[in-house]
């Protein structure tokens, strides 16, 4: 059970999103953020064909340490913003304060590695996606299957978005089509704002 909890806790941070991105994805305006996806070889540090909880924990800690600029074991709001800015993650910068206040459970003004962990629900969901045979570790085949599925879904989503934008079906998106889509989206946002007031 302990092994399952450890792998679940760190799989989000080590596989697909930074610790900050994982926390942000749980709520707020940054749910569309995508972090850097590590490849299997980077995670499987002893090259035995499996990624273990210990290897995932090491990756998650390394990411946390990279954000902890003053190396005091805690992340301040300034460190989170600086890390996001340095990596060109504007959405993360904008939502950092909201995420920080939500995650700072003890209100001490810093985030510990434990506070940065995703919720238990999210841990279980991510663990289920990767560790499909339930043996407490991730094989190359399990990792590749999840990666291929993600890539396929992203490709399908991009194709669907292109089709919506290409209203005349000529295989290209003209400036007029682009402007029309922006205007339509703006109208929806304005309509939602009006309804909420």
């Amino acid at each position: 059970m302990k092994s399952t909890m450890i792998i679940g806790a760190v799989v989000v941070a080590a596989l697909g999103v930074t610790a900050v991105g994982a926390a942000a994805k749980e709520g707020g305006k940054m749910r569309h953020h995508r972090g850097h996806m590590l490849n299997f070889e980077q995670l499987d540090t002893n090259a035995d064909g499996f990624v273990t909880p210990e290897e995932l924990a090491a990756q998650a800690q390394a990411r946390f340490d990279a954000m902890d600029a003053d190396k005091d074991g805690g992340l301040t709001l300034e460190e989170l913003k600086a890390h996001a800015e340095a990596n060109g993650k504007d959405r993360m910068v904008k939502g950092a304060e909201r995420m920080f206040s939500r995650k700072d459970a003890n209100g001490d003004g810093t985030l510990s590695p434990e506070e940065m962990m995703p919720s238990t629900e999210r841990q279980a969901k991510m663990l289920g996606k990767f560790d499909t045979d339930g043996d407490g570790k991730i094989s190359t085949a399990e990792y590749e299957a999840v990666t291929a599925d993600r890539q396929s879904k992203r490709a399908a989503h991009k194709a669907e978005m292109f089709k919506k934008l290409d209203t005349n079906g000529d295989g290209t998106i003209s400036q007029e089509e682009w402007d029309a889509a922006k205007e339509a989206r703006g109208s929806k946002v304005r309509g939602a704002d009006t309804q909420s007031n």
Side-chain angles (χ1 to χ4, degrees):
M1 179 64 182
K2 187 177 180 185
S3 167
T4 300
M5 288 306 294
I6 293 172
I7 194 171
V10 297
V11 73
V12 177
L15 296 172
V17 291
T18 64
V20 176
K25 279 185 78 173
E26 288 180 14
K29 298 178 181 176
M30 296 179 286
R31 61 187 176 276
H32 300 295
H33 167 73
R34 294 283 188 272
H36 171 65
M37 183 74 168
L38 296 175
N39 65 43
F40 192 85
E41 290 73 28
Q42 289 173 303
L43 295 169
D44 181 20
T45 53
N46 65 0
D48 68 349
F50 293 95
V51 176
T52 63
E54 293 76 20
E55 288 168 320
L56 288 172
Q59 285 289 345
Q61 188 62 51
R63 287 180 174 223
F64 185 93
D65 292 343
M67 290 184 281
D68 183 14
D70 62 10
K71 307 302 175 196
D72 67 350
L75 299 180
T76 64
L77 178 58
E78 291 71 28
E79 285 173 322
L80 290 178
K81 285 183 175 180
H83 180 79
E85 286 170 359
N87 288 281
K89 296 182 170 59
D90 294 336
R91 283 187 179 182
M92 197 185 294
V93 174
K94 291 176 184 174
E97 287 182 34
R98 183 177 174 188
M99 185 274 289
F100 189 92
S101 63
R102 191 179 69 249
K103 291 303 243 178
D104 186 15
N106 62 8
D108 67 353
T110 61
L111 297 180
S112 66
E114 293 74 26
E115 288 173 317
M116 288 297 291
M117 287 298 176
S119 69
T120 305
E121 204 173 281
R122 183 165 171 73
Q123 292 172 27
K125 185 178 178 183
M126 289 303 292
L127 176 59
K129 281 185 180 178
F130 283 93
D131 182 23
T132 53
D133 64 8
D135 67 353
K137 57 188 177 182
I138 301 166
S139 68
T140 307
E142 288 172 322
Y143 182 89
E144 288 176 352
V146 172
T147 303
D149 183 56
R150 283 184 174 182
Q151 289 171 344
S152 173
K153 285 178 179 173
R154 284 183 193 157
H157 177 70
K158 286 179 182 176
E160 183 184 333
M161 291 304 297
F162 187 91
K163 189 175 178 181
K164 284 181 181 177
L165 292 170
D166 180 23
T167 55
N168 66 5
D170 68 352
T172 62
I173 299 169
S174 68
Q175 186 65 49
E176 291 77 18
E177 288 170 323
W178 182 257
D179 291 341
K182 278 176 63 178
E183 178 58 32
R185 184 168 184 215
S187 296
K188 284 182 183 177
V189 170
R190 286 191 297 274
D193 288 344
T194 303
Q195 288 176 4
S196 64
N197 290 336

